[in-house]
Amino acid sequence: MERYGSDVEVDEQRTPLIRRGREEEVQKAPACGSSRYALALLSSYGFFVVYSLRVNLSVAMVDMLNNTHQSNPNHSGTVCPRHSNPAVRKHNHTASVYNWDSETQGWILGSFFYGYILTQVPGGYLAGRFGPKWLMGFGILGTVIFTLLTPVAADLGAGYLIAVRVLEGIGEGVTFPAMYTMWAAWAPPLERSRLLTISYIGAQLGTVISLPVSGEIIFYLDWTYVFYIFGAVGLVWFVLWAFFVFDSPNTHPRISEQERLYITSSLKNELSTSASNIPWRSIVTSMPLLAIVVAHFSYNWTFYTLLTLLPTYMSDILGFSIQQNGFLSALPYLGCAVVAVLSGQIADYLRETRKYRTVIVRKSFTLIGMIGPAVFLVAAGYTGCDYTLAVTFLTISSSLGGVSASGFNINHLDIAPSYAGILLGITNTFATIPGMVGPVIARALTQQNTIEEWQIVFYIAAAIDVFGAIFYAVFGKGTVQSWAVHTSFYHAD
């Protein structure tokens, strides 16, 4: 993300000083106790809430179904022997259960994304126009409110539940574009990989924690409390966000002057001077942006397929109980979270020491983070009833996916930091399509719940992943594009 004149770039990467003009220099502000890292932690908490509310239905769905209705001679629970379950629940199981077939389940699990896709591009535009803080805050608050209404909607019928999930998606749809817009004003170029991986690791942690905790909540209480408890966690986040977060360093009342100057000086040659005049034609015809779109779509096909259906696979194929299911379904995302943070540190180290150009780092991390998961996902389909090997391969697959967090996933800020929120909205619009159709296609292909059917699901996801990685490697870029900044201070890949 080094997009200054070459003399400034060298000075910036070899010393802790940020050049201001020709004579004045600003000392790099320390990370410890800084406002930018506080923002990273609070935004991470926000994405924890976002993904907790997104995935808890995947675990709850296992317990929301009428098991008697679901049982049939072809039920995949007979493919692998069931693991031993605890004898009884600690409390009476009083929540309602429903007679939803596999097709209805697919539509319910995918309905969130029909709302999510609607607010991607508007979210990026509104964040740039009115500021990202309150857009993200009220977006998540709306999702929290509809999450609390989920049990009521389910009792009213599948159609009402689908409608509530669509509304949740509309609220969450603005979160990533809003946060990208905020990071465009807060993240110094050579700290972007670190700050953004800390910020977005909350999404992985939300998955890691909500999956096993949801299983425990269901076991000791019932599935309705999954939505009540995580909804309350979301309300706490909103209060903290409202009081401690600000749109930019210049509007933050408690930021140190050193840090404010450090951030603003490092960004002054990157940001457009006329953000109100959005170059839409250049944006939609940009090949580097198309490369991110293809990579994002491809990666999310695998990600959303596992995110929504991994608990079902663990239950119906591998035979794990609701408690075991939550913990084991979380392992792949725990690995992904750890690898994402490590990859962010490595990526920025490689760039700071000038060992590799930004474009090489982004492409390398994308290839590893997409082709690696594809290989192990296909391998997982051939483990049969070897539970240990199946969980290991699925964990490695998702863990390697964390490498892409420092690849295409933050490339929007490399090529057009002033319009990062809008670009993220565009790529995430296309990347949401897999969440809409992936679960529906997967459930349609696995109606008999056989291992062979799931192998097909894994093959499709892997093939799409590999295609996206290759496309990005060919057409991706690592520097700010000429249409994205009104200055001559940018240089070649």
Side-chain angles (χ1 to χ4, degrees):
M1 300 162 204
E2 52 280 54
R3 284 182 289 289
Y4 309 104
S6 58
D7 60 326
V8 179
E9 175 192 353
V10 172
D11 179 62
E12 191 173 68
Q13 293 195 351
R14 290 181 177 175
T15 75
L17 300 176
I18 300 301
R19 187 177 297 278
R20 301 181 69 209
R22 293 287 179 180
E23 301 176 354
E24 189 178 2
E25 293 179 333
V26 176
Q27 182 73 31
K28 178 178 179 180
C32 184
S34 67
S35 296
R36 65 190 187 280
Y37 278 87
L39 173 63
L41 292 175
L42 264 179
S43 62
S44 186
Y45 180 11
F47 286 114
F48 170 89
V49 172
V50 163
Y51 268 74
S52 295
L53 303 184
R54 186 183 302 192
V55 307
N56 53 19
L57 180 62
S58 299
V59 178
M61 180 68 74
V62 176
D63 210 56
M64 292 169 72
L65 301 176
N66 186 335
N67 291 327
T68 302
H69 174 78
Q70 293 295 314
S71 297
N72 60 70
N74 294 320
H75 190 274
S76 63
T78 62
V79 174
C80 297
R82 285 277 172 185
H83 296 258
S84 58
N85 293 323
V88 295
R89 296 180 185 273
K90 298 297 183 181
H91 296 274
N92 292 329
H93 186 205
T94 57
S96 303
V97 292
Y98 311 100
N99 296 325
W100 296 329
D101 58 23
S102 61
E103 182 180 359
T104 302
Q105 295 170 44
W107 284 107
I108 292 173
L109 291 172
S111 59
F112 169 91
F113 299 99
Y114 285 88
Y116 190 69
I117 197 173
L118 295 177
T119 48
Q120 294 296 316
V121 175
Y125 174 77
L126 292 173
R129 186 72 181 272
F130 302 107
K133 172 186 174 177
W134 291 113
L135 183 65
M136 181 167 175
F138 286 122
I140 296 180
L141 179 62
T143 303
V144 167
I145 292 172
F146 287 114
T147 294
L148 294 171
L149 294 174
T150 297
V152 175
D155 278 339
L156 292 174
Y160 288 93
L161 179 56
I162 289 173
V164 164
R165 293 291 290 179
V166 169
L167 291 171
E168 287 184 37
I170 289 174
E172 280 197 20
V174 303
T175 55
F176 278 96
M179 201 61 223
Y180 267 65
T181 300
M182 184 169 281
W183 279 127
W186 273 97
L190 294 179
E191 293 186 23
R192 279 183 184 144
S193 297
R194 293 189 184 97
L195 288 168
L196 268 71
T197 50
I198 292 172
S199 180
Y200 299 128
I201 194 180
Q204 302 297 338
L205 292 176
T207 305
V208 167
I209 294 174
S210 68
L211 286 173
V213 170
S214 294
E216 291 297 313
I217 292 172
I218 291 170
F219 181 78
Y220 287 105
L221 300 170
D222 60 53
W223 64 261
T224 62
Y225 286 92
V226 169
F227 302 101
Y228 298 144
I229 291 173
F230 282 107
V233 172
L235 292 175
V236 173
W237 170 84
F238 178 77
V239 173
L240 295 175
W241 184 262
F243 281 100
F244 295 109
V245 169
F246 298 87
D247 285 326
S248 70
N250 288 328
T251 59
H252 197 302
R254 294 180 294 275
I255 190 174
S256 70
E257 183 65 9
Q258 180 188 8
E259 184 180 12
R260 186 187 68 79
L261 289 175
Y262 165 58
I263 295 172
T264 56
S265 297
S266 69
L267 294 171
K268 68 176 182 178
N269 287 329
E270 288 202 353
L271 300 179
S272 172
T273 58
S274 57
S276 60
N277 184 22
I278 300 172
W280 287 109
R281 182 174 181 179
S282 297
I283 289 174
V284 299
T285 58
S286 171
M287 184 57 72
L289 177 60
L290 179 61
I292 302 174
V293 168
V294 173
H296 204 168
F297 175 95
S298 303
Y299 176 85
N300 273 16
W301 189 284
T302 298
F303 181 78
Y304 283 143
T305 296
L306 290 181
L307 190 70
T308 54
L309 293 176
L310 188 56
T312 300
Y313 182 79
M314 291 287 188
S315 173
D316 292 353
I317 297 297
L318 300 181
F320 290 109
S321 70
I322 189 68
Q323 280 185 303
Q324 297 165 327
N325 194 331
F327 281 104
L328 294 174
S329 294
L331 283 178
Y333 301 102
L334 176 61
C336 185
V338 173
V339 171
V341 171
L342 292 177
S343 70
Q345 300 295 318
I346 295 171
D348 276 351
Y349 169 78
L350 293 175
R351 295 172 55 249
E352 285 175 340
T353 57
R354 294 179 53 80
K355 292 183 181 296
Y356 298 96
R357 292 170 294 159
T358 296
V359 67
I360 300 299
V361 173
R362 299 295 182 232
K363 290 182 178 182
S364 299
F365 279 53
T366 297
L367 287 169
I368 296 171
M370 294 181 70
I371 294 179
V375 171
F376 282 96
L377 185 62
V378 170
Y382 287 90
T383 56
C385 291
D386 188 332
Y387 311 112
T388 302
L389 197 58
V391 173
T392 299
F393 282 175
L394 288 170
T395 300
I396 294 174
S397 177
S398 288
S399 297
L400 288 175
V403 177
S404 68
S406 295
F408 77 87
N409 211 27
I410 60 173
N411 194 213
H412 316 71
L413 284 163
D414 295 329
I415 65 172
S418 291
Y419 308 111
I422 292 174
L423 265 58
L424 190 278
I426 292 171
T427 67
N428 220 18
T429 295
F430 289 98
T432 300
I433 295 173
M436 297 165 59
V437 302
V440 176
I441 292 175
R443 290 309 284 155
L445 292 172
T446 57
Q447 292 190 21
Q448 302 303 315
N449 275 324
T450 65
I451 291 179
E452 291 73 21
E453 288 177 335
W454 281 95
Q455 287 173 350
I456 296 173
V457 172
F458 293 160
Y459 264 122
I460 292 173
I464 294 174
D465 235 2
V466 171
F467 172 78
I470 295 173
F471 192 95
Y472 179 80
V474 174
F475 297 107
K477 297 291 182 182
T479 54
V480 68
Q481 301 299 289
S482 58
W483 48 263
V485 58
H486 295 280
T487 177
S488 59
F489 295 104
Y490 64 92
H491 56 82
D493 287 330

